[in-house]
Amino acid sequence: AQSVTQLGSHVSVSEGALVLLRCNYSSSVPPYLFWYVQYPNQGLQLLLKYTSAATLVKGINGFEAEFKKSETSFHLTKPSAHMSDAAEYFCAVITNNAGNMLTFGGGTRLMVKP
Amino acid sequence: ETGVTQSPTHLIKTRGQQVTLRCSSQSGHNTVSWYQQALGQGPQFIFQYYREEENGRGNFPPRFSGLQFPNYSSELNVNALELDDSALYLCASSRGQDTYEQYFGPGTRLTVT
């Protein structure tokens, strides 16, 4: 079975500050990991993905994430927050024994203060 | 390249009614997955279709059913609607069974009263 836990349902940062959104996964086999962003009243947009290549993954809009097997984590970071980063962020996992079923975390709402 | 599209955008139904939601996959994609996202929660997998066959199902009752057509577009049907079926329904397409990257449509917001 696979699962994802996102620590912190709400995160608030000041514009220009570091963004850190936490994601821990549980999987009995090597996982593929994803971060998606969802703006209000919209679908999900893929930010970045880990598929067993480089452990540090760079995505769109200046975001990156590091896969740490020993910590079963895949935290999302961005050095400097922008007002346009305010959105809901979802971490998700797929394993090759679960077909193409994405299992999502509960989401983290990022708020950016001016 | 056309992205994933869904229709309708919004829908209001009464408890006990039936509803059909539609999804057109991204060009070149032959796999469609459906997810239900309740308010304030992460999406939950309903089922997936690959080349017109169901290819996996989540923990949803049989009144949730689907179809995939030869052009790889898809329908999600829900019978005997319940209040808890109110949610955003997301469709995602991908290129093949072994491709893990899924592209999502904008969703259909279903409200059951």
Side-chain angles (χ1 to χ4, degrees):
Chain A
Q2 54 190 35
S3 66
V4 174
T5 301
Q6 292 184 239
L7 296 176
S9 58
H10 292 79
V11 170
S12 180
V13 301
S14 298
E15 192 172 20
L18 171 71
V19 175
L20 170 60
L21 305 183
R22 300 178 186 274
C23 171
N24 288 88
Y25 69 91
S26 173
S27 172
S28 58
V29 297
Y32 298 91
L33 294 158
F34 305 82
W35 276 99
Y36 285 88
V37 61
Q38 186 175 38
Y39 297 99
N41 301 313
Q42 294 188 27
L44 302 175
Q45 180 183 7
L46 181 65
L47 273 179
L48 49 79
K49 60 182 178 182
Y50 166 76
T51 56
S52 75
T55 56
L56 181 61
V57 180
K58 295 186 183 298
I60 61 171
N61 301 339
F63 284 94
E64 63 182 37
E66 186 172 8
F67 173 70
K68 292 187 176 181
K69 184 178 178 180
S70 60
E71 299 177 7
T72 61
S73 69
F74 190 57
H75 302 331
L76 182 71
T77 60
K78 181 174 180 178
S80 177
H82 191 271
M83 296 296 290
S84 61
D85 295 327
E88 187 91 21
Y89 291 80
F90 292 95
C91 182
V93 63
I94 274 183
T95 56
N96 59 13
N97 64 353
N100 276 358
M101 181 182 81
L102 275 168
T103 298
F104 286 87
T108 297
R109 180 165 299 279
L110 175 66
M111 295 167 283
V112 182
K113 299 175 291 186
Chain B
E1 187 176 80
T2 305
V4 179
T5 60
Q6 293 186 243
S7 63
T9 306
H10 295 88
L11 203 52
I12 300 175
K13 289 286 190 178
T14 302
R15 189 170 50 183
Q17 286 187 316
Q18 179 266 344
V19 69
T20 297
L21 310 182
R22 295 178 175 82
C23 170
S24 292
S25 60
Q26 186 165 314
S27 176
H29 289 185
N30 57 14
T31 303
V32 172
S33 303
W34 285 92
Y35 294 82
Q36 180 196 66
Q37 185 180 18
L39 198 61
Q41 297 182 24
Q44 287 195 297
F45 176 76
I46 303 175
F47 45 55
Q48 180 185 88
Y49 280 83
Y50 170 67
R51 293 188 175 180
E52 303 179 57
E53 297 287 331
E54 188 177 290
N55 185 46
R57 188 179 183 92
N59 189 27
F60 280 81
R63 59 189 185 85
F64 285 78
S65 63
L67 283 173
Q68 187 178 32
F69 300 99
N71 66 355
Y72 304 126
S73 65
S74 177
E75 286 183 355
L76 164 65
N77 299 289
V78 186
N79 294 321
L81 283 166
E82 301 177 359
L83 296 180
D84 284 349
D85 295 334
S86 295
L88 181 67
Y89 288 85
L90 296 164
C91 167
S93 73
S94 53
R95 192 188 306 271
Q97 240 181 331
D98 298 325
T99 303
Y100 299 110
E101 193 166 324
Q102 298 186 17
Y103 294 87
F104 284 80
T108 294
R109 173 74 62 188
L110 172 66
T111 302
V112 182
T113 61

